[in-house]
Amino acid sequence: MSHPEPVKKNDMTQTAPVDMKDIVALCKRRGFIFPASDIYGGINGFWDYGPLGTELKNNIRDHWWKAMVITPPIGPDGEPLQIVGLDTSIIQNPRSWEASGHVGGFNDPMVDCKESKKRYRADHILAFLPKDGEGAALAFDKDADSAEIDQRLKKLAKGRPQSDYNILTLDKVPVEQFPSIVGPDVKTPGTLTEPRQFNMMFHTFVGAASGDENKAYLRPETCAGIFLNFKNVVDSSRVRMPFGIAQIGKAFRNEVTPRNFIFRSREFEQMELEWFCHPDEHEKWFEFWVEQRKAWWKSIGMDMARFYFNDIEKAELAHYSSRTIDIEYLFPFSAPDFDELEGIAHRGAFDLTQHQDFSGQKLDYLDPVTNERYLPHVIEPSTGLTRALLAVLCDAYTPDPNRPSGVYLNFHPALAPKKAAILPLTAKDDHVPAATKLYMALREHFPVDLDIKQNIGKRYARQDEIGTPFCFTIDDQTNTDQTVTVRHRNTMKQERIGMDHALDYMRQNMSTATGH
Ligand code: ATP
């Protein structure tokens, strides 16, 4: 669901160290992420995941699924939580989207510029309105940095300082003031249209006819299928309150302005948990899940100094929510601000109440011990899988002028697409047979690469750029004493170990190779 504008945290001075362009270029160069339909010039808001991007995404997905469904956390009472998984259909009965409020209300305010022909999301544009009412009002993209803003103020407003302006997002500016605003990509005022509501659900037609009665929607969030199956799960499995249902899958939103690489895509993946509990217990569980989610992000090696837990102000909350915390990350494009990575929302009994009313089916829960009947409350930690992947890439991207690649990806070994590379020093001699032997032994246990061609420096550079924690190199000494060198990605330090110890070595060092 749309959340309010992230709070500007101007007191945070920390800046992200890297340029997004470099990350995008590495992703393409090494096969993490490509524009969808690249050979046709792409299609805005859609992305394809390459060989390494797919592995990385699967690793993040599996790590989340394990933490939620396979070995759920231990609850406050010392007992493991009960959480089950689902995989529901992308297309559901269209009535369900009326019940959830998406048909009527899943809207973003959209503004067009008549001159530049660009389309903006009004809540993503900052309007600078002169405090004294004199001179032009200017609009800026919310990700514009301070230097860019100053430069444009210099050109269009004789260098007036930013402090001369009241700053509001465009959706909060009264429409009477629109004629005096200079749009973000033009030089004259009055080219922006009034905001219009734009429904973000993609629709399609089911069956041969394409009339309104056959219209159906692609799900804009995965949680919907969980609520629709609440009764089925309670009736068919042995879960008892409190319990959770988790789902990972594709979601589709016809975003007005897809942007910032895969951050805001039109097709993306979500990882969502709906935690059902007694209405009297929602506060306790909300706190519990915030701590759990923090621990999870830490467990995948993220730099927690780049996280901000944004407790959404009461006035900004969705009507059904009494509390929402957005977990925000310091993305290179948002710095020095943070942008949303995950939302943890108390959704009350909103969804089950709506589906009960619209479907006419009873969805309340009968407690077998107390005989109490109630509609449970829901705590929802909702993360974008593809957005998590972007945060993982940004977090791992570490420029280092002291190595040939100039950069390495500091992935936690659990997430790294390749856990080790086996490199014969030369393609000649008898390095290759020994390397092949080691490769055949390790590949049964870990995803590893055997890379034979090119000079060793280039091969190390490649492994650094794809974030492989260890490189085993086979050289002349290998054939005399059966040892290999291990090169560590982060430090580039090398040590010699017995070749038959390589598997144990990997197992022992898998959790310690990350820099954070
Ligand atoms: P926004 O306000 O930025 O449009 P939202 O608050 O509506 O997003 P939610 O409905 O809370 O987002 O979705 C939960 C999570 O799904 C988000 O925290 C984000 O990680 C992910 N997500 C939402 N929209 C997109 C998108 N267009 N592309 C990629 N990930 C997305």
Side-chain angles (χ1 to χ4, degrees), residues 24 48 52 58 72 96 113 164-165 178 182 279 296 319 381 426 441 447 467:
V24 175
D48 291 338
L52 295 175
N58 288 351
S96 68
C113 176
D164 272 14
Y165 295 89
F178 270 54
V182 183
W296 185 82
H319 59 93
T426 65

Side-chain angles (χ1 to χ4, degrees), residues 1-3 121 221 253 255 262-265 268 270 340-343 382-384 386-387:
M1 286 302 202
S2 281
H3 286 312
R121 227 175 98 169
E221 49 189 27
R253 296 183 189 180
E255 295 281 356
I262 58 170
F263 178 82
R264 187 173 300 289
S265 312
F268 55 99
Q270 289 185 314
E340 180 180 330
L341 189 51
E342 166 164 351
S382 165
T383 312
T386 42
R387 201 175 276 186

Side-chain angles (χ1 to χ4, degrees), residues 210-447:
S210 58
D212 260 3
E213 65 285 4
N214 294 54
K215 194 168 170 183
Y217 301 93
L218 306 192
R219 67 181 177 203
E221 49 189 27
T222 53
C223 62
I226 295 179
F227 295 119
L228 295 178
N229 283 286
F230 173 75
K231 191 169 153 35
N232 283 337
V233 172
V234 171
D235 291 350
S236 64
S237 68
R238 300 177 65 84
V239 287
R240 295 286 171 261
M241 211 62 71
F243 69 91
I245 307 180
Q247 170 154 240
I248 299 178
K250 292 252 183 185
F252 302 82
R253 296 183 189 180
N254 199 0
E255 295 281 356
V256 177
T257 45
R259 50 146 108 229
N260 293 329
F261 197 25
I262 58 170
F263 178 82
R264 187 173 300 289
S265 312
R266 287 178 167 142
E267 174 175 342
F268 55 99
E269 282 176 73
Q270 289 185 314
M271 311 188 282
E272 297 195 289
L273 168 73
E274 308 305 312
W275 178 254
F276 298 94
C277 64
H278 190 280
D280 293 345
E281 296 202 321
H282 70 83
E283 283 173 12
K284 162 180 128 182
W285 286 112
F286 188 91
E287 298 299 335
F288 177 84
W289 279 110
V290 171
E291 285 312 309
Q292 286 299 320
R293 296 304 302 143
K294 191 189 269 184
W296 185 82
W297 287 106
K298 204 158 176 242
S299 78
I300 59 167
M302 300 292 279
D303 178 359
M304 296 313 286
R306 296 182 193 167
F307 277 69
Y308 181 83
F309 286 70
N310 188 2
D311 210 333
I312 304 295
E313 285 174 37
K314 280 258 173 310
E316 307 283 0
L317 290 170
H319 59 93
Y320 49 77
S321 180
S322 61
R323 184 114 187 256
T324 295
I325 284 187
D326 280 352
I327 303 181
E328 299 181 349
Y329 180 76
L330 188 72
F331 288 99
F333 49 80
S334 65
D337 288 340
F338 298 72
D339 221 331
E340 180 180 330
L341 189 51
E342 166 164 351
I344 305 176
H346 168 235
R347 297 180 70 104
F350 171 76
D351 306 87
L352 291 180
T353 308
Q354 288 293 103
H355 288 306
Q356 178 167 276
D357 289 353
F358 275 68
S359 68
Q361 301 272 333
K362 281 251 162 255
L363 297 179
D364 54 1
Y365 176 79
L366 173 64
D367 189 306
V369 179
T370 61
N371 264 338
E372 186 189 0
R373 268 188 188 280
Y374 59 89
L375 277 173
H377 276 208
V378 168
I379 309 298
E380 176 196 70
S382 165
T383 312
L385 168 55
T386 42
R387 201 175 276 186
L389 183 144
L390 179 61
V392 165
L393 278 166
C394 293
D395 216 64
Y397 190 95
T398 315
D400 178 4
N402 296 321
R403 62 178 80 203
S405 55
V407 63
Y408 64 101
L409 293 185
N410 178 18
F411 289 137
H412 188 290
L415 300 188
K418 300 287 176 192
K419 312 299 182 200
I422 297 107
L423 311 174
L425 188 60
T426 65
K428 297 174 254 134
D429 303 318
D430 34 15
H431 299 164
V432 176
T436 307
K437 190 174 155 214
L438 182 58
Y439 169 70
M440 293 308 283
L442 294 180
R443 58 170 241 155
E444 297 298 325
H445 305 275
F446 289 108

